[in-house]
Amino acid sequence: MTKIEISKLDKRFSKGNKYIDALSNIDLVINEGEFVCLLGPSGCGKTTLLRILANLEKPSNGYVKIHSQNKKQTPTQSMVFQENGVIPWLTVEENVAFGLKMRHTPEEFTQKQTDYYINKVGLSNFRKLYPKELSGGMKQRVSIARAFANDPEILLMDEPFAALDEQNKFILQEELLTIWQETEKTVLFITHSIDEALLLSDRILLMSAQPGQIVKDIKLNIPRPRSIEQVRSVSEITEIFLEIWEHLQREVKQTRLI
Ligand SMILES: Nc1ncnc2c1ncn2[C@@H]1O[C@H](COP(=O)(O)OP(=O)(O)OP(=O)(O)O)[C@@H](O)[C@H]1O
């Protein structure tokens, strides 16, 4: 069932008589429950596409549509950013409950959702702490818990693990996949890491250099759970790795020539 539909979408940023064509002719359908990673060279418009889906930017041409299946008053989307996604003056539990409280959900429900997701990301013993008392990995856990607790139609994640060390990244990737499989949410996830995309995705969308276009849609029919050992050793996966690697090399070289 279609969840996200993007049609003939262009985005041009203008300033005075100068302009940048950030996105060009994006046509895309993402199904309910899919985990889709966006990969492309720096500046190809990945964040812009996410911001358009989050309604923080308007398309210059074309449209995006998020198909809602339920009649509940759930938010359309929640975003998780690379850093600074937590509110410094709120505790862990207040941060996780924030979206629900803004929507004035019944207190009992807010408490239940908050407890559930704090527990899911392993922060039960830290619920009364403030962000300045947390590590980078713990702060990202708070952001993820808040995004899921909010029960949005879709999740938009902009390099959420990019600033973390390898061990933390790996643990959070596993936690994210567990929650995603349980909730069956549709996720659009930006990463610069091919390994990360191969570990997480049902589909990888490869983007061209600016103006960003989707040039390849790679479907991964690889059983889950996947391990980094598999990503490095199974020939079917290493072939995809090389295909993506070569594409990125070409695109990055091209941007240097412009
Ligand atoms: N508000 C804005 N005003 C003007 N130009 C912008 C604005 N936002 C983004 N751009 C430009 O649009 C292009 C795409 O930016 P965007 O941040 O979407 O790329 P990205 O693929 O997410 O990059 P990175 O991988 O480096 O994070 C860039 O050239 C950027 O300078």
Side-chain angles (χ1 to χ4, degrees):
M1 207 175 306
T2 299
K3 191 70 192 175
I4 302 174
E5 187 186 345
I6 303 178
S7 178
K8 296 187 173 41
L9 183 140
D10 302 325
K11 179 64 186 177
R12 172 175 283 190
F13 290 107
S14 307
K15 197 172 183 190
N17 56 0
K18 294 202 175 111
Y19 63 84
I20 291 170
D21 282 318
L23 294 168
S24 169
N25 201 23
I26 306 280
D27 275 318
L28 179 63
V29 169
I30 295 178
N31 290 329
E32 175 100 50
E34 273 190 313
F35 198 122
V36 178
C37 277
L38 268 180
L39 257 176
S42 184
C44 73
K46 301 180 291 296
T47 298
T48 302
L49 187 56
L50 236 63
R51 287 176 57 80
I52 290 173
L53 282 164
N55 224 356
L56 298 169
E57 297 280 357
K58 292 267 168 272
S60 305
N61 287 306
Y63 69 86
V64 302
K65 188 162 187 223
I66 295 166
H67 295 257
S68 179
Q69 254 84 53
N70 64 41
K71 302 278 176 278
K72 285 189 291 172
Q73 287 269 298
T74 53
T76 310
Q77 72 296 105
S78 283
M79 259 188 110
V80 179
F81 301 95
Q82 186 175 338
E83 285 178 300
N84 304 327
V86 289
I87 302 165
W89 56 87
L90 299 181
T91 62
V92 166
E93 67 181 357
E94 287 165 347
N95 261 290
V96 174
F98 184 76
L100 296 163
K101 286 212 164 139
M102 287 288 105
R103 277 161 47 214
H104 305 291
T105 54
E107 207 160 305
E108 200 181 322
F109 176 77
T110 303
Q111 195 62 52
K112 203 169 126 230
Q113 282 286 98
T114 305
D115 289 347
Y116 184 76
Y117 284 102
I118 286 180
N119 192 28
K120 275 274 155 203
V121 298
L123 289 176
S124 297
N125 293 334
F126 307 95
R127 52 193 308 141
K128 299 290 177 200
L129 297 189
Y130 287 89
K132 65 172 189 286
E133 300 169 284
L134 304 176
S135 68
M138 289 158 96
K139 278 187 242 183
Q140 286 311 80
R141 289 198 166 91
V142 175
S143 295
I144 290 169
R146 182 175 56 206
F148 279 95
N150 221 0
D151 195 21
E153 295 275 330
I154 60 169
L155 272 125
L156 304 170
M157 309 186 94
D158 195 351
E159 298 188 64
F161 308 142
L164 302 181
D165 60 82
E166 284 297 316
Q167 284 80 17
N168 248 313
K169 194 180 287 190
F170 182 65
I171 295 166
L172 265 89
Q173 284 164 344
E174 285 210 320
E175 284 175 2
L176 172 63
L177 281 180
T178 308
I179 302 175
W180 166 71
Q181 280 172 323
E182 201 178 285
T183 56
E184 300 179 331
K185 293 281 176 203
T186 311
V187 179
L188 191 54
F189 186 108
I190 295 178
T191 179
H192 278 116
S193 161
I194 306 175
D195 283 344
E196 184 164 68
L198 290 169
L199 271 174
L200 298 178
S201 315
D202 292 321
R203 282 162 74 189
I204 300 177
L205 303 175
L206 281 188
M207 291 183 70
S208 67
Q210 200 175 87
Q213 292 178 300
I214 292 170
V215 289
K216 221 166 228 174
D217 185 344
I218 302 170
K219 293 195 173 54
L220 297 174
N221 295 317
I222 307 163
R224 299 174 184 273
R226 302 169 193 159
S227 67
I228 197 71
E229 291 85 350
Q230 278 178 305
V231 168
R232 293 281 160 80
S233 62
V234 174
S235 64
E236 187 194 347
I237 313 180
T238 53
E239 274 167 30
I240 301 171
F241 181 99
L242 284 176
E243 179 185 352
I244 298 172
W245 175 253
E246 281 161 13
H247 165 79
L248 290 176
Q249 296 277 89
R250 266 197 311 276
E251 294 297 324
V252 169
K253 277 189 192 139
Q254 200 170 330
T255 47
R256 297 236 167 118
L257 295 175
I258 292 169

